[in-house]
Amino acid sequence: RLGIVFAGPFFNFLFAIVAFAAIFMAGMPTLLPEVGEVKPDYPAYQAGLQKGDRILEVNGAPIKRWEDLAQVIHDSDGRPLSLKVERGQKIFQVSVAPQVSTQKNIFGDEVRVGLIGISPSGSSFVERFDPFTATYRAVVQSWRITELTVISIVKIFEGKVSAKTIGGPILIAQLAGQQAKAGVLSLVFFMAVISINLVILNVLPIPVLDGWHMLIFLVEGITGKPVNLKLRERAQQIGVFIIILIMLLVFYNDLSRIMGAQ
């Protein structure tokens, strides 16, 4: 019985992995580590970086994507970085010491990040992966989205993220339409994210959801006897009440967004 209940969330998560793997094999546009804007009075400007410069290496490690460059800079904690730069036909080295700044992340928490004052040029390339690498990256991507979603739920209960950010069927339909216009890969990516959200929702230990049934079956497996029927019935009633409240909240949020957009 536990296996049957677990199969639903498992295949939802498996679908997300397969969808992400298909996207990585088909290829998605990826930003090149090419400098667009260089802000005055920042380390990059003082080091002589210019618009159009392409960063080839950081501290001897090859850099292929803008996100990799940004991650290294943000995690530098102010330590000097040796950049290998391509400018036209010339390749040269330059040292940049990122400026440490305290900023708020998407959850409102203050974090320390290194900045050098550059933005991407917008140039990109289509990056494709072989099936094995694509599958590995799909698993990592699925885990990252799962982790981000769980943290978001925790932050909502802590009051650090507004409950107004929760969306329902109307918002999902609107976003699905937008992603469909952006292309098939964008729509598949959106479907994978929704599938992971369904996994997390279903495994919550709320009566009537899969997570509650799995908890009951685990307790019965450990104790060797069924859980009291009256207790299960009362829990089911509470669970239905909680689900109705959540549904009312998401519909209210959806309608508020529609009314606010008009």
Side-chain angles (χ1 to χ4, degrees):
R1 288 187 298 167
L2 180 62
I4 292 172
V5 174
F6 179 74
F10 172 76
F11 278 101
N12 272 332
F13 194 77
L14 184 62
F15 168 79
I17 293 175
V18 172
F20 283 133
I23 291 171
F24 289 132
M25 286 189 287
M28 287 286 284
T30 303
L31 284 175
L32 286 166
E34 185 176 285
V35 179
E37 180 187 0
V38 181
K39 297 180 180 179
D41 302 323
Y42 272 83
Y45 180 84
Q46 296 165 357
L49 289 180
Q50 300 177 7
K51 180 179 180 180
D53 287 349
R54 183 171 175 179
I55 313 302
L56 303 178
E57 296 179 0
V58 177
N59 292 340
I63 296 293
K64 189 177 180 181
R65 313 170 191 88
W66 178 269
E67 62 176 309
D68 297 335
L69 173 64
Q71 190 65 49
V72 172
I73 294 172
H74 290 168
D75 294 343
S76 66
D77 200 26
R79 293 184 295 272
L81 302 174
S82 177
L83 309 182
K84 187 175 183 179
V85 183
E86 180 182 56
R87 180 183 297 168
Q89 301 298 319
K90 296 193 301 182
I91 295 178
F92 57 93
Q93 298 282 147
V94 62
S95 180
V96 180
Q99 172 182 310
V100 178
S101 174
T102 301
Q103 299 182 344
K104 289 188 176 182
N105 60 18
I106 58 174
F107 303 115
D109 298 327
E110 291 190 345
V111 293
R112 285 166 51 89
V113 297
L115 301 173
I116 64 174
I118 58 174
S119 59
S121 66
S123 299
S124 63
F125 69 102
V126 176
E127 186 174 24
R128 296 182 176 89
F129 297 93
D130 63 82
F132 294 104
T133 305
T135 301
Y136 170 75
R137 290 181 66 89
V139 172
V140 173
Q141 180 81 343
S142 299
W143 176 253
R144 285 176 179 171
I145 293 176
T146 301
E147 186 179 29
L148 185 63
T149 305
V150 171
I151 293 173
S152 299
I153 294 173
V154 173
K155 295 296 182 181
I156 288 174
F157 282 105
E158 292 177 349
K160 294 182 178 180
V161 174
S162 174
K164 294 181 179 179
T165 58
I166 301 174
I170 298 175
L171 178 62
I172 292 173
Q174 290 176 331
L175 292 176
Q178 294 172 7
Q179 298 304 316
K181 291 179 181 178
V184 176
L185 291 182
S186 296
L187 179 60
V188 173
F189 186 94
F190 178 73
M191 291 169 61
V193 172
I194 292 297
S195 187
I196 290 175
N197 277 262
L198 288 175
V199 172
I200 296 169
L201 177 63
N202 276 326
V203 298
L204 291 176
I206 298 176
V208 310
L209 296 182
D210 290 339
W212 170 257
H213 293 300
M214 286 190 283
L215 178 62
I216 291 295
F217 294 150
L218 282 173
V219 171
E220 290 180 349
I222 294 172
T223 60
K225 56 183 180 179
V227 175
N228 183 274
L229 181 60
K230 289 185 177 180
L231 176 62
R232 294 181 63 172
E233 290 177 348
R234 182 60 58 87
Q236 293 276 45
Q237 294 171 353
I238 295 173
V240 170
F241 178 71
I242 293 173
I243 295 300
I244 291 174
L245 288 180
I246 294 175
M247 290 175 62
L248 289 173
L249 174 62
V250 298
F251 274 114
Y252 172 78
N253 287 344
D254 286 351
L255 292 174
S256 295
R257 290 187 187 95
I258 294 174
M259 298 300 292
Q262 292 178 349

